Amino acid sequence: MKILSPEVTRLLDKLYNLRGEDSVIFKEMASSEEKAEATRVRTTEEKSSLQDKIAGLERDSKNLSEQGKKLADVLSNIDKNDFATVIERLEINFDPEALTKKLNDTLPGTIDKVNDDIKESQENLVRVEEEMNSAITEIEEIGIRRDAAVANQAKLNEYFELALNGNINITRDSITALLEQFDFSEEETREAAKILMFPEDALYDYDAKLKEAEKRSISEVMQEAKNNVEPEKVEVQEETSTVSVDEEKVEIEEETKEVEAKPEPTPVETEAKTFDKEDLMDLFNEIGLDYLDYTTRDLEEVLEHFNEKVIRRNVGIFKNNDLSLDIFVDHINLLYDRELEAKVDRLLRIGKSALDIYLNPTVLTKYDYRNLDKAIILLQNSGLDPKKVPLMAY
């Protein structure tokens, strides 16, 4: 079999991903649909709550106007002197004129305040309805895009089957027109079309290796990798050593044994392993991240701040708390954020759910731990429950 270049291998990795059920396109649509559905559910509940609130405020406004007028009419017809003896003997604090004055002074402002609350709630209702309708529209559009993606995937698989069977008779324009639907770059489109039109150059070998790998177990693949490098065999004569066991000295004569000599580490390996982009892709696959979800700039940014322990820990934090790893796609800096665990734990301890954090992940990028803690304490000191305050308001 031919040795394929890394560039061709990556392109074929991408193409074969698009052919399968785990296609990055379907994963992105599923992620977007999940977010849109969560927004639809939340805004539907908010809409119902606001409608109930508005109805209650409108009743209050109407009752204040009607009952205030009746009370004013009643008070205007009462002469305090007509009840002077009863008021004096029973020590009743009753002053129709003072009540009328208070009614006239405060009722209009109270009604205005209720009406202002109605107006504000109505504006919030409009905003929530727009957000809800937008989510519903997005869900419908994703359904349409998914249908188109399924059709495009079927056509792509058809082209591959023709190419793998040596019966490709599709024009280059037809192939490039299809590949453009998958958001390929011009260079990727050109190379992918070439691979399909001339499958003997790379496609046959890649597909054969893929099928062979699917048949073999991981242990077999690992054993083969070990067998490809035969270490030098050398004899090492261990020196006689004396050890003490329960205060008694026992001489142990180590047998001469054949051991595998390890190659001398290079200076770079001795200090720390240098990670490049291919190593990072392997790490992503190992910890459950799909490198195809990330741009070249994302990968370069991770390499600039690379710390394998932190990356593994942060992915583990998300998995352990049922937080979607999709958050890293839009917020790559969280992948190497050394304070991520502390910030997630702080939010969970005040009662925030994984869904709260998923819908508002910017709170994790907006604050370092110290300032997040300050924001929470400030809310508590203001008499607010941080759990009930939406994260978008933090």
Side-chain angles (χ1 to χ4, degrees):
M1 291 187 181
K2 299 177 182 178
I3 297 177
L4 305 180
S5 69
E7 293 77 16
V8 170
T9 300
R10 288 195 193 98
L11 181 56
L12 281 165
D13 284 345
K14 185 174 181 180
L15 284 164
Y16 269 72
N17 171 268
L18 294 172
R19 295 184 62 195
E21 294 180 358
D22 61 342
S23 166
V24 64
I25 291 177
F26 291 127
K27 287 176 66 176
E28 288 175 353
M29 283 192 288
S31 174
S32 297
E33 186 174 37
E34 183 180 353
K35 292 178 183 178
E37 178 60 22
T39 299
R40 185 195 67 78
V41 171
R42 173 178 58 78
T43 52
T44 299
E45 293 174 353
E46 289 182 5
K47 177 182 177 180
S48 177
S49 177
L50 283 168
Q51 287 175 328
D52 290 343
K53 180 180 180 180
I54 290 170
L57 289 170
E58 287 176 340
R59 285 193 299 272
D60 287 349
S61 178
K62 180 181 178 183
N63 289 337
L64 282 168
S65 297
E66 293 178 351
Q67 294 174 15
K69 186 176 183 301
K70 289 180 181 178
L71 182 57
D73 290 342
V74 170
L75 291 173
S76 65
N77 292 321
I78 295 177
D79 185 345
K80 183 179 179 180
N81 294 326
D82 292 342
F83 309 98
T85 303
V86 173
I87 291 172
E88 181 180 350
R89 289 290 184 180
L90 299 181
E91 297 181 349
I92 298 174
N93 184 17
F94 177 65
D95 187 345
E97 292 182 359
L99 289 173
T100 299
K101 184 177 186 308
K102 183 175 182 179
L103 185 65
N104 292 333
D105 289 344
T106 61
L107 182 60
T110 301
I111 294 174
D112 288 342
K113 176 64 172 61
V114 172
N115 289 337
D116 287 342
D117 289 344
I118 292 173
K119 182 179 178 181
E120 181 181 355
S121 297
Q122 288 173 335
E123 291 172 351
N124 287 335
L125 179 60
V126 170
R127 175 185 57 76
V128 168
E129 285 180 332
E130 288 176 350
E131 189 178 4
M132 181 183 70
N133 292 333
S134 177
I136 293 172
T137 300
E138 184 175 1
I139 292 171
E140 293 172 349
E141 290 176 347
I142 289 173
I144 296 172
R145 294 206 310 272
R146 183 181 288 109
D147 291 341
V150 169
N152 288 334
Q153 186 186 66
K155 182 64 68 175
L156 181 65
N157 282 329
E158 178 188 340
Y159 286 2
F160 265 85
E161 290 305 316
L162 289 172
L164 289 167
N165 291 322
N167 296 321
I168 190 71
N169 57 0
I170 310 298
T171 65
R172 180 183 291 274
D173 288 345
S174 297
I175 296 174
T176 55
L178 174 63
L179 293 175
E180 286 171 356
Q181 303 302 312
F182 293 97
D183 198 26
F184 274 62
S185 68
E186 184 177 345
E187 181 180 355
E188 288 177 324
T189 300
R190 183 172 60 252
E191 288 300 316
K194 181 180 176 183
I195 288 172
L196 284 169
M197 296 184 72
F198 304 99
E200 65 277 5
D201 289 347
L203 182 57
Y204 290 157
D205 291 287
Y206 178 91
D207 193 72
K209 289 178 182 178
L210 192 65
K211 289 176 179 176
E212 181 183 353
E214 289 173 350
K215 293 177 183 177
R216 293 152 56 204
S217 67
I218 294 177
S219 59
E220 289 174 330
V221 175
M222 293 297 292
Q223 186 59 49
E224 181 182 322
K226 290 179 181 179
N227 293 339
N228 284 339
V229 180
E230 284 295 333
E232 181 186 354
K233 302 280 187 177
V234 298
E235 285 191 354
V236 177
Q237 177 69 44
E238 296 287 351
E239 296 182 357
T240 301
S241 59
T242 303
V243 297
S244 175
V245 180
D246 294 333
E247 303 301 321
E248 296 180 2
K249 293 190 175 181
V250 181
E251 287 194 344
I252 301 175
E253 179 70 26
E254 293 289 339
E255 295 181 354
T256 302
K257 49 189 175 180
E258 196 175 55
V259 297
E260 295 180 354
K262 297 181 180 178
E264 286 295 322
T266 64
V268 174
E269 290 174 331
T270 302
E271 295 173 6
K273 176 175 172 57
T274 300
F275 262 65
D276 58 20
K277 198 175 295 183
E278 290 186 23
D279 292 324
L280 187 60
M281 290 176 182
D282 291 339
L283 175 61
F284 272 29
N285 289 333
E286 181 183 342
I287 61 181
L289 300 178
D290 189 343
Y291 72 83
L292 293 174
D293 290 344
Y294 300 84
T295 66
T296 299
R297 181 69 194 96
D298 287 338
L299 299 179
E300 291 173 349
E301 183 177 334
V302 174
L303 287 172
E304 289 172 7
H305 303 84
F306 186 78
N307 185 308
E308 183 176 355
K309 182 178 180 181
V310 171
I311 292 173
R312 288 182 180 275
R313 183 181 67 206
N314 287 352
V315 171
I317 292 164
F318 272 35
K319 288 180 178 178
N320 293 337
N321 291 289
D322 295 323
L323 280 164
S324 172
L325 300 183
D326 292 342
I327 294 176
F328 291 125
V329 176
D330 295 323
H331 304 279
I332 192 66
N333 58 312
L334 292 178
L335 195 58
Y336 53 82
D337 184 347
R338 295 173 182 271
E339 295 187 322
L340 183 64
E341 181 175 21
K343 289 188 285 188
V344 169
D345 180 68
R346 187 72 174 96
L347 292 173
L348 294 175
R349 280 192 288 114
I350 62 171
K352 290 299 181 182
S353 66
L355 180 60
D356 289 329
I357 299 173
Y358 177 80
L359 295 174
N360 299 280
T362 51
V363 72
L364 297 172
T365 60
K366 180 179 179 181
Y367 293 105
D368 58 20
Y369 177 78
R370 182 166 170 268
N371 286 313
L372 176 62
D373 188 57
K374 278 186 176 180
I376 292 171
I377 293 173
L378 179 62
L379 290 172
Q380 292 171 333
N381 291 342
S382 301
L384 299 173
D385 183 352
K387 176 183 177 181
K388 297 181 180 178
V389 177
L391 285 178
M392 67 179 64
Y394 272 54

